[in-house]
Amino acid sequence: MNIKSAVITFLMMFACFTSASETLPVVGGKISDSNTGETLPYAKIQIKDTNRLATANQDGLFTVLDVPVGATLVITKMGFESHEVLVQSDTERLTIELLKAGSNKDNSIETIVVSGASSQKLEQSGTSQYSITSDITKSLPNLGEQDIFRTMQLLPGVSGSNESSSGLMVRGGTIDQNLVLFDDYTVYHVDHVFGFFSAFNSNAIKDVQLSKGGFGAKYGGRMSSVIDITGKDGNTEQFNIGGSVSLLSSNVIVETPFADGAGTFVMTARKSYQSDLYDEILDSVTGQENNQATSAIPSQFGLGSFQTEPESYFYDMNAKLTYRMDNGDKFSLSFYSGADELDNSRDISGQSNFLTDRCSGETSGPFAGRLCDGFNFDIGTVDLSEWGNTGMSAKLTHQWNDRLNSNFVLSTSEYFSNRDRKINSDVTFNTDDDSDDSDSSDNSQSNQSSSNEDNLLNDVTMKIENDFFLNQTHKLGFGLQLTEQNIDYFLMQNEEVIINTNNEATTTTLYLEDEIALDTLIVTPGIRASHYSINDEVYIEPRLSMMYDLNDSTQLRGAFGDYHQFALSVARQSLEEGPRSFWTLADGETVPVSKARHFIIGASHEGNDYTAHVELFHKQYEGLSEFTEQIRPMRNEDGRGAVLTLEQEFHTGDGTASGIELFLQKSFGDFTGWAGYTYSQVEYDFPTVSDSPYYADQDTPHEFKVVLMYSLGDWDLSSTFVFATGRPYTEVLGVAEDTIPATYEVGEKNGERYDAYHRLDLSATYSFELFGGDGELGLSIFNAYNRENQWYTEYDIIEGEILETEVNFRGFTPSIFVSWNLN
């Protein structure tokens, strides 16, 4: 299947569906926010007293076929009051405005308002799928920035102990295995401030759809999950301006209508800074300076262990222009740009009393027990990183008739990452020779090491997505997607080029799925076919999901699917630099196309005040890639012996991820919240890395989370708690003998685990009115009891001894913020 054949096939499908001439009773329309005029994506439309349910699309448009005259439609959307609308004819076009939960604004549409909606509710909208709005993040603990990705990390099945990244590790998957879309352009890196913030400003977000697995044929190119984010269009009713300031960042939003509300424009921007107040608060609590804080701690190695915390800053901006035409078409142009800079530089000095070859002219190993004056060491590390994303999309929504609508999207994305690392080490030996003839240069030694790493990714995508309502039982989705990707990766260590790649690929995709709605059963079979140009292969991906209503409150769910990934972020394991990764394209050989097969079954029960879910999942991985350092014996040139040498190469393996998730939520009343528990196991099998299967880096067998929220008048109080089993790591045992240069002796691959991770966050938010607008004042405490959770460990070899630097996550961190919006 090449591009030409895919286009011809798509056009034939399109012609076939548009030629359907059967006339059916149709009730459709648009659902929007009564206050701002924003359309509301993925709202639910149900024919009252029946099991028939429809869902609005991303633009808030909906269609329901064969609705009896006199029937009542019930429209619901998380965070809004539900409404009931009486159908007065068998062909109607409705404009429905929903009231924000708690709003007192009168509705201009003749509807019956059904109270009781909660903006603090997480809504499960399908198998392993959740609908999330940015409102739910407002009262949760934060560092001055509401972060919807941090909220998703509080769900079962999503790692909450991955503090170093706002990216999601979903059901044992890695961060790169998530398809992240913002207004239909792909975002390849989602971090700010070393993982404390996501790359997405909550002021720019209207809706988020999270699918933790088993997602439909519309989505592809990733093996784990989909995060589909819809950005705000902007206020169609009136001009609005707002902003917020915290101890870490400032944030501003401007939105305005034009052309009598037919057009809207919205822009958000934020930037972090290192304030004096922040440093003073942190210093008074922790007793140490915040900038590159370094301290010594006990260690199993002779040179000791040191701790360090890096510093960084970021900026980002979103802008979106939307215009609604007289014929109902909608055009939008969305733009994003953001970048980070990270400084992990540090200076470490100390001394050793262990006997070395340079001490007293004698030799002895570090554990021989003989002591002498030893040596002093001073290590200066310059470690600078920067990374960022740019994305843009142009989208046209066109409704051909009451039964067929299409989205035409052209998007582009760019991701860059640069890291420069240089280490200068000075060692001064303390000898017993005090004679004037001794050469002082013999008593000192200097070494340098360096690495340079650059990664650049460009993505240009064109896609056409269509929904066709065949009849009241069948809703067809079909589409065409063309993606051009170009990825450069360069790695140089100690002036030697290790990797220098440039890959280009075209991926051509067709998909078709059919949502079959029966009385108590919804079945959605689908198929996705992708041609990948690098190896000229076609990848067929069958998909199937089912939902069965056991009774009015209990539903059974299940899903199955095959998923392939062509653009991969390959893990690069390094004892000196810690865990790293880089984006590259699969070539079918050195880096194979990865595959995952999903199996999911579950059930949900919804009572008056509580909802409960349970899901079991199993994923089978094929063609996983890792880039590691490997010590191998190599024969001497004279053929009479062997030495150990260091090789760096790609490795290929398989894996499995299995587990069970439990979720309990209280959605109504002043006291709300949820609790989630996940038991899982993620195991990899890389024959060239380990002789036996081992736990993956992201394996956390037990993870427990609690979110509690309480409304007390104008105050919102909340707390979150996360507990997780410590992640596995490969233990460093010492320095391998007879290796030049010196290398490490390590234990079993990921045979040890860090201590358990746990953290408590607290917050209090006060709401007020000022100058005709709404404001909030909040205090958050991150890591309230100052738990030292370890991230990773870096190692350096100095004169046959190991220096250990423990890189920890952030400790006790208070934050204060104030925000205000005109409307």
Side-chain angles (χ1 to χ4, degrees), residues 610-643:
Y610 293 89
T611 58
H613 311 305
V614 57
E615 285 194 347
L616 291 86
F617 64 88
H618 177 72
K619 291 194 285 189
Q620 298 173 346
Y621 289 110
E622 298 177 11
L624 298 174
S625 294
E626 189 175 280
F627 184 80
T628 63
E629 298 175 344
Q630 197 82 346
I631 300 174
R632 296 184 182 278
M634 299 293 289
R635 187 162 297 278
N636 289 332
E637 294 181 1
D638 57 11
R640 294 184 298 174
V643 295

Side-chain angles (χ1 to χ4, degrees), residues 135-379:
D135 289 339
I136 201 169
T137 68
K138 287 184 176 180
S139 59
L140 292 179
N142 56 68
L143 285 174
E145 287 291 336
Q146 303 167 24
D147 195 333
I148 203 160
F149 269 65
R150 287 298 181 190
T151 301
M152 288 187 279
Q153 288 185 352
L154 297 172
L155 292 172
V158 183
S159 175
S161 60
N162 184 34
E163 190 182 312
S164 64
S165 174
S166 297
L168 307 183
M169 291 184 177
V170 181
R171 291 179 172 173
T174 54
I175 294 173
D176 71 298
Q177 293 173 6
N178 307 313
L179 176 63
V180 182
L181 299 172
F182 192 104
D183 281 341
D184 291 287
Y185 56 80
T186 304
V187 181
Y188 286 89
H189 193 89
V190 299
D191 277 352
H192 271 328
V193 189
F194 219 24
F196 269 94
F197 300 140
S198 73
F200 305 106
N201 190 333
S202 290
N203 285 336
I205 295 175
K206 178 164 57 176
D207 183 89
V208 178
Q209 298 292 308
L210 166 65
S211 180
K212 296 190 292 183
F215 43 91
K218 176 182 177 180
Y219 301 105
R222 295 295 188 275
M223 294 189 293
S224 187
S225 71
V226 174
I227 302 100
D228 194 349
I229 305 172
T230 304
K232 287 183 178 178
D233 292 338
N235 197 316
T236 65
E237 305 295 321
Q238 53 193 328
F239 173 79
N240 181 44
I241 188 171
S244 64
V245 178
S246 74
L247 299 183
L248 283 178
S249 64
S250 57
N251 195 341
V252 64
I253 179 173
V254 177
E255 51 187 334
T256 183
F258 63 90
D260 296 327
T264 54
F265 175 76
V266 59
M267 184 184 74
T268 65
R270 59 180 178 168
K271 187 179 186 301
S272 68
Y273 48 82
Q274 195 72 43
S275 68
D276 293 338
L277 179 59
Y278 176 84
D279 288 336
E280 290 174 4
I281 291 176
L282 195 61
D283 182 51
S284 66
V285 175
T286 65
Q288 65 182 22
E289 295 296 330
N290 182 48
N291 295 331
Q292 285 87 40
T294 304
S295 58
I297 61 175
S299 168
Q300 62 175 315
F301 301 113
L303 298 187
S305 177
F306 290 78
Q307 295 178 325
T308 182
E309 291 179 3
E311 68 172 3
S312 65
Y313 85 93
F314 77 92
Y315 74 89
D316 63 41
M317 69 164 293
N318 291 81
K320 189 173 183 180
L321 177 72
T322 304
Y323 187 76
R324 300 159 187 83
M325 305 174 195
D326 293 338
N327 63 355
D329 289 359
K330 176 183 173 182
F331 175 78
S332 62
L333 187 64
S334 181
F335 173 79
Y336 167 82
S337 179
D340 281 68
E341 289 191 7
L342 167 68
D343 186 354
N344 196 18
S345 303
R346 56 193 177 271
D347 290 309
I348 296 175
S349 60
Q351 63 180 3
S352 170
N353 292 323
F354 283 117
L355 183 64
T356 73
D357 293 345
R358 299 292 296 273
C359 184
S360 300
E362 301 179 12
T363 61
S364 178
F367 302 104
R370 294 187 60 192
L371 299 178
C372 71
D373 290 339
F375 58 88
N376 298 322
F377 61 89
D378 187 356
I379 301 176

Side-chain angles (χ1 to χ4, degrees), residues 755-773:
D755 293 338
Y757 178 101
H758 48 90
R759 190 188 82 236
L760 173 69
D761 303 333
L762 305 171
S763 74
T765 305
Y766 175 71
S767 299
F768 58 90
E769 294 183 359
L770 181 68
F771 303 128

Side-chain angles (χ1 to χ4, degrees), residues 486-791:
N486 186 316
I487 303 181
D488 297 334
Y489 179 66
F490 175 80
L491 173 64
M492 183 170 65
Q493 294 179 337
N494 299 323
E495 307 302 324
E496 179 183 355
V497 176
I498 305 299
I499 305 177
N500 188 8
T501 63
N502 177 271
N503 295 315
E504 297 183 17
T506 300
T507 306
T508 307
T509 301
L510 284 170
Y511 76 88
L512 173 66
E513 61 183 4
D514 182 11
E515 182 180 300
I516 307 169
L518 305 176
D519 186 25
T520 57
L521 176 67
I522 298 177
V523 182
T524 308
I527 191 166
R528 185 178 178 94
S530 299
H531 174 262
Y532 185 57
S533 65
I534 288 183
N535 60 1
D536 196 25
E537 293 285 343
V538 176
Y539 296 88
I540 306 297
E541 301 172 331
R543 313 278 176 88
L544 177 67
S545 66
M546 294 179 290
M547 294 187 293
Y548 175 71
D549 292 326
L550 194 62
N551 52 49
D552 291 340
S553 58
T554 304
Q555 188 178 69
L556 305 179
R557 297 185 171 103
F560 161 85
D562 283 350
Y563 304 87
H564 291 90
Q565 185 160 339
F566 308 108
L568 311 165
S569 183
V570 178
R572 180 170 72 83
Q573 303 296 333
S574 172
L575 293 173
E576 286 84 1
E577 300 179 47
R580 302 286 295 172
S581 62
F582 60 91
W583 283 95
T584 189
L585 287 170
D587 57 15
E589 297 177 358
T590 305
V591 180
V593 174
S594 300
K595 177 184 177 181
R597 176 166 289 176
H598 294 195
F599 300 90
I600 303 168
I601 59 172
S604 64
H605 178 80
E606 187 162 354
N608 293 329
D609 295 324
Y610 293 89
T611 58
H613 311 305
V614 57
E615 285 194 347
L616 291 86
F617 64 88
H618 177 72
K619 291 194 285 189
Q620 298 173 346
Y621 289 110
E622 298 177 11
L624 298 174
S625 294
E626 189 175 280
F627 184 80
T628 63
E629 298 175 344
Q630 197 82 346
I631 300 174
R632 296 184 182 278
M634 299 293 289
R635 187 162 297 278
N636 289 332
E637 294 181 1
D638 57 11
R640 294 184 298 174
V643 295
L644 297 177
T645 62
L646 181 67
E647 292 186 358
Q648 303 186 78
E649 59 187 6
F650 286 97
H651 302 270
T652 300
D654 301 326
T656 59
S658 304
I660 182 172
E661 300 171 0
L662 304 176
F663 180 73
L664 178 65
Q665 177 178 218
K666 183 180 184 297
S667 308
F668 300 97
D670 293 333
F671 180 74
T672 59
W674 67 84
Y677 169 75
T678 305
Y679 173 76
S680 64
Q681 180 175 295
V682 188
E683 196 172 68
Y684 282 174
D685 185 6
F686 281 71
T688 57
V689 172
S690 173
D691 294 332
S692 59
Y694 58 89
Y695 294 117
D697 293 346
Q698 67 273 18
D699 177 69
T700 52
H702 300 279
E703 194 162 280
F704 176 69
K705 306 161 191 175
V706 179
V707 177
L708 302 177
M709 295 176 283
Y710 184 70
S711 296
L712 182 64
D714 293 328
W715 287 91
D716 286 321
L717 309 176
S718 67
S719 66
T720 62
F721 177 75
V722 178
F723 174 89
T725 306
R727 287 203 172 93
Y729 70 94
T730 302
E731 184 181 15
V732 174
L733 302 177
V735 180
E737 295 183 1
D738 301 325
T739 58
I740 302 175
T743 57
Y744 301 92
E745 181 181 346
V746 298
E748 181 183 352
K749 172 70 174 178
N750 282 354
E752 300 293 330
R753 286 187 181 272
Y754 293 119
D755 293 338
Y757 178 101
H758 48 90
R759 190 188 82 236
L760 173 69
D761 303 333
L762 305 171
S763 74
T765 305
Y766 175 71
S767 299
F768 58 90
E769 294 183 359
L770 181 68
F771 303 128
D774 298 323
E776 290 182 338
L777 175 66
L779 167 67
S780 282
I781 299 177
F782 181 88
N783 199 350
Y785 52 84
N786 198 31
R787 166 70 176 179
E788 289 187 354
N789 291 301
Q790 189 171 351
W791 180 11

Side-chain angles (χ1 to χ4, degrees), residues 66-85:
D66 289 337
V67 182
V69 175
T72 299
L73 299 181
V74 181
I75 297 92
T76 57
K77 173 66 178 176
M78 182 176 61
F80 290 81
E81 304 283 1
S82 59
H83 282 62
E84 295 182 358
V85 179

